[in-house]
Amino acid sequence: MLDFLKEKDVRSRFTLFPVRVVWKSGSLQNIDLEGLLSNPQKTVSIKYDGDEPPAFVLDFGREIHGGIQLGQGMVRDKTPLPLKITFGESVVEAMGEPDQDHAIHDSTVLLPWYGYNEVGTTGFRFVRIEMIKPKTEWLCTGIKAMVLIQDLEYLGSFNSSDELLNKIWKTGAYTVHLCLQDYLWDGIKRDRLVWIGDMHVETVVLSHLFGYNATIEKSLDFVRDNTPLPGWMNGISSYSLWWVIIQEYWYFMFSRKEYLEQQRGYLKGLVQQMLKCVDENGKEILPEARFLDWSTAENKDAIHSGLQSLLYWAFVCAENLLQELDETDLLTQCSKIRERMRKYHAPEHLVKQSRALGVIAGLENPVRVNEECFKRDPLSGLSTFYGFYVLQAKAMAGDFTGGLDLIRNYWGPMLKMGATTFWEHFDVRWLEGDVVPIHEVVPQGKKSIHKDFGEHCYVGLRHSLCHGWASGPTAWLMQYILGIQPVAPSCKKIRIVPYLGDSLDFAEGTMPTPFGLVSIRHEKDKEGKIKTQFKAPKEVEIVLAGNK
């Protein structure tokens, strides 16, 4: 490497050509723009010699992160050509006025008279290109996307007799893979930042896909270093709790003692800060901003209940880490405060997100919560973020069929609306009536699934259609359908408890461990019994614990 170059980007650059012309202005109806798709070397003459600016929208076939490269042949006047470029995660966004927060999606660029220009670094699938200077000619050639992504092999896999589940698994995997940039972001169009609460779902999924990845530690450290105590990460008290929970999960999966040692000082200070957030009755008193997710943002009882459980869960994780660090005094303090918290009972409610945290923390009975909360109008009040914890809680209640139904009926409809990545939020009620999916032009009088729905921070076109926190089903299908349950650090011991139920004939897949891949296949025989085959590294003990 040249000595003045200091750091190599962990990402790679790839090219992707558009797959269709979605729309073109009236002045271009007789212009063979489709020829640009099949022949990247072809040059098409586009002239702005009328009243209507020539414009067209391209579809690259899937959500991607990066920009586009535009080319121009040799023109007579040798002057740069101005173009208006608008990126969109949907057609309506590319043809509208996108939100410019976090990344620029709508800009004017100059194209050299004989050469190429690259523009944009954002999340998109569609691009609208418009000539804006009358009486000009564009010798258009070589339009392609420049994709920026970590070039990683998918070590984890999932395949079953249900093609919808397979597609959901792949979509979740691709969603979080796109968010794994130079840091682990929660979105590639908006919120291109390390939001530590979002990172828990993403970290679980990524560990199932790729095993160890240094970008996760880099992101955890970035938030730590930019949040000196007594601050709270991302300005949200619960997000510092997620940092503890992620650290415990990461250590359990990979047992990197050297990395854990680097967290000792900050972890101890944060735990001492957490201890002050429980009153004499065992009630959490976490400060502002008090936040779980946007779906619960206006329900104070649900927020309090969820924070009570999240803080309790964080103390459990902290104790595991403190034990590894031999910090016995602080560990004892955590244990005592947890005993106090167990005696406190938060107000009753039916908000799924908070009740799921209660189950995961061990403060609520899984079967009871599943019956009185999750099964009551199961598709209402969900979020793509906390949907993962609802799925986890349903599995703890033994309701794997309900979990599969939730995945099919909540994440599945996004695919019907043209999604190639999962969204920041989704509500099945948005589909009521005549709603146009993201890959189509919206006729007058009809509603766009992107522009006309959403609330809180994801109103209309601000809504991110690639958000890593929505990828939970990818990990869940591996954990509870393949039944891969690590029960010892570094996956040295894995319990296999598959579930095929009545709807699946087989399920198979792989999961990376620090010692290599574990491969599993479950298949029903003629009597309906599940036959399991597996292959694992010699360092990994596999325990078959029954099947359903």
Side-chain angles (χ1 to χ4, degrees), residues 385-429:
F385 176 14
Y386 269 70
F388 177 59
Y389 305 109
V390 173
L391 287 171
Q392 295 277 23
K394 289 183 77 66
M396 292 173 71
D399 186 11
F400 305 105
T401 296
L404 286 174
D405 289 343
L406 192 60
I407 290 172
R408 292 181 179 116
N409 298 324
Y410 182 67
W411 278 267
M414 282 184 264
L415 301 181
K416 294 180 181 178
M417 287 287 105
T420 60
T421 49
F422 288 130
W423 304 346
E424 180 179 17
H425 185 60
F426 180 67
D427 191 322
V428 293
R429 293 175 297 179

Side-chain angles (χ1 to χ4, degrees), residues 12 14 149-157 169 173 177 180 205-213 510-512 517:
S12 300
F14 298 90
I149 192 171
Q150 288 200 28
D151 185 13
L152 300 172
E153 178 185 0
Y154 279 52
L155 302 174
S157 64
W169 185 91
H177 186 188
L180 188 67
V205 176
L206 288 168
S207 67
H208 282 65
L209 293 176
F210 306 124
Y212 173 80
N213 186 285
T510 56
M511 179 176 164
L517 283 183

Side-chain angles (χ1 to χ4, degrees), residues 171-200:
T171 303
Y174 182 60
T175 301
V176 76
H177 186 188
L178 280 179
C179 292
L180 188 67
Q181 294 290 323
D182 52 345
Y183 290 91
L184 180 52
W185 301 340
D186 64 338
I188 57 173
K189 180 190 82 170
R190 205 205 74 244
D191 290 4
R192 298 157 57 87
L193 302 166
V194 182
W195 286 90
I196 199 69
D198 311 34
M199 261 191 70
H200 181 256

